[in-house]
Amino acid sequence: MTVGTRVSDTSGAATTSSRQSPGGLWDSVKKTAVVIGSGILFLAAFGNSLTWHLQRFWGASGDFWQNLWTKLYVMFEGHHAALFFLGTMLLPTLTHWAVNALLLLVDTTGKPSFITRYRIQMDKNNPVDPVKLRHAIKTVTFNQVFVSGPMVVVVYYLMTLRGDPCGPELPTFHWALMELAFFSIVEEVLFYYSHRLFHHPSLYKHYHKQHHEWTAPIGVVATYAHPLEHMLSNMLPVVLGPVILGSHLTSTSMWYCLALFSTTISHCGYHLPFLPSPEFHDFHHLRFNQCFGVFGILDRLHGTDSKFRQTKQYERHTLLTSLTPLNESIPDTPKKGQ
């Protein structure tokens, strides 16, 4: 990272912490509570009709999934802790590295070349710095083994206080969908505020600055962070939802995999067809003091996406449904003199 980047880096943290008065922040928190409360009421009122068709599909294949789970349940009878760790550590870890292996192939070799057309910051990571990459992979592996692993152990024992997270009956489709909606709300709230907290100057330089070494992120650096940040800002927002609801292992495992896939795509640096847009979080790495959340709801309420909404990146922040890269269909505004 250049000296100039470091200076803007630190000033960005300071700007974030001082841009809102306590009264304005409290008003935004109240607005957030109203929006989230309205969303929960909407799901409660219209959940049945929204999921009716999907419920029919689930019902048609439900016996298959229940029979498959019953076989696993019987196989691990008396060893539910091992089954829980397989579902919440092994499966999400395999998902994480499988997706990142494909992305790293492009990052390190530039092949297949057509993928590089979808790179958001065209002049960066072409190819990625191998020394910087090796350091990132070591940190990510450390966090997975020595932070995520112990946290999942704690999660298991917390969830057993509510019952058996590996019970013999699978949750219904409707309940699993409602759980995922709840998990997403918890993640958005906790990640947004913990993320902004780590941008406070007194914390940023000691903890979060490590993650922002990558001004043009790649997928694997999604969990490249100081261990304290990884615990409080990466892991806690994801694991707390299932603990609160006392969720079944299958719901928890699916959520962990989805969360890891989502954050990998948010950091991957490529706006690929038919995948969620990474423009929002990529802009955060580029500018430091914008776009702190996952979905952007709290950023809109707190005004921390105001600069983002004035950019070409915001225009491109949509699901790409064609094969034409958005940096070609929505090109940057030519600089003066060009």
Side-chain angles (χ1 to χ4, degrees):
M1 197 188 313
T2 65
V3 173
T5 301
R6 286 175 181 160
V7 171
S8 65
D9 188 10
T10 307
S11 64
T15 302
T16 299
S17 65
S18 62
R19 65 177 297 162
Q20 279 195 316
S21 66
L25 184 61
W26 175 240
D27 286 341
S28 295
V29 170
K30 288 191 288 186
K31 290 178 184 176
T32 302
V34 170
V35 170
I36 292 174
S38 300
I40 293 172
L41 288 174
F42 177 83
L43 285 173
F46 298 102
N48 286 331
S49 60
L50 289 173
T51 60
W52 184 77
H53 290 288
L54 291 173
Q55 180 73 52
R56 288 186 65 192
F57 171 79
W58 179 263
S61 58
D63 288 343
F64 169 78
W65 297 112
Q66 181 60 59
N67 290 338
L68 186 63
W69 171 252
T70 299
K71 290 178 182 178
L72 274 175
Y73 181 82
V74 171
M75 186 186 303
F76 284 88
E77 189 171 4
H79 303 282
H80 285 184
L83 179 58
F84 186 87
F85 298 140
L86 285 175
T88 55
M89 275 302 296
L90 181 62
L91 188 57
T93 300
L94 290 176
T95 300
H96 173 264
W97 286 111
V99 174
N100 276 291
L102 297 174
L103 292 169
L104 284 171
L105 178 65
V106 184
D107 293 330
T108 56
T109 68
K111 297 177 181 179
S113 58
F114 75 90
I115 296 291
T116 61
R117 294 175 59 211
Y118 298 96
R119 185 178 283 126
I120 296 172
Q121 298 186 45
M122 294 299 293
D123 58 334
K124 304 290 180 64
N125 298 325
N126 191 23
V128 69
D129 181 345
V131 176
K132 195 176 178 182
L133 176 61
R134 282 195 295 271
H135 176 65
I137 290 175
K138 288 179 183 177
T139 301
V140 168
T141 304
F142 177 90
N143 284 339
Q144 285 182 327
V145 174
F146 295 105
V147 181
S148 299
M151 283 192 75
V152 167
V153 173
V154 173
V155 165
Y156 173 72
Y157 286 106
L158 287 175
M159 294 182 78
T160 56
L161 297 176
R162 300 280 304 275
D164 184 3
C166 304
E169 296 293 327
L170 289 178
T172 64
F173 174 81
H174 182 268
W175 176 246
L177 195 63
M178 294 292 285
E179 283 184 306
L180 291 177
F182 178 78
F183 300 160
S184 299
I185 292 170
V186 171
E187 182 191 27
E188 171 72 5
V189 173
L190 288 184
F191 180 74
Y192 179 87
Y193 291 112
S194 64
H195 190 186
R196 281 194 70 180
L197 180 64
F198 275 108
H199 270 264
H200 189 280
S202 62
L203 297 176
Y204 182 88
K205 62 184 178 181
H206 297 296
Y207 304 108
H208 192 50
K209 189 174 180 179
Q210 178 178 350
H211 185 67
H212 274 285
E213 290 170 5
W214 292 80
T215 54
I218 60 174
V220 75
V221 305
T223 53
Y224 173 69
H226 186 280
L228 181 66
E229 181 192 353
H230 183 61
M231 179 175 65
L232 297 179
S233 196
N234 290 341
M235 286 293 293
L236 187 61
V238 173
V239 304
L240 189 59
V243 171
I244 292 172
L245 295 184
S247 298
H248 194 272
L249 170 61
T250 52
S251 299
T252 305
S253 180
M254 179 170 60
W255 167 240
Y256 286 6
C257 290
L258 284 173
L260 276 171
F261 177 79
S262 174
T263 193
T264 296
I265 296 302
S266 293
H267 287 84
C268 74
Y270 302 98
H271 195 149
L272 298 168
F274 307 105
L275 287 176
S277 167
E279 301 280 355
F280 186 79
H281 195 72
D282 196 272
F283 189 80
H284 173 74
H285 276 260
L286 184 65
R287 296 297 175 89
F288 301 102
N289 61 354
Q290 291 277 294
C291 307
F292 294 95
V294 179
F295 302 111
I297 299 169
L298 293 175
D299 284 282
R300 178 61 64 91
L301 290 170
H302 288 289
T304 48
D305 66 346
S306 56
K307 294 178 182 177
F308 174 64
R309 287 188 281 118
Q310 299 170 12
T311 65
K312 288 291 183 178
Q313 288 93 325
Y314 176 70
E315 293 181 39
R316 299 177 191 134
H317 186 45
T318 185
L319 181 68
L320 177 57
T321 56
S322 74
L323 298 181
T324 303
L326 283 168
N327 55 24
E328 294 179 11
S329 59
I330 308 176
D332 289 330
T333 303
K335 296 180 180 179
K336 293 181 179 180
Q338 290 187 345

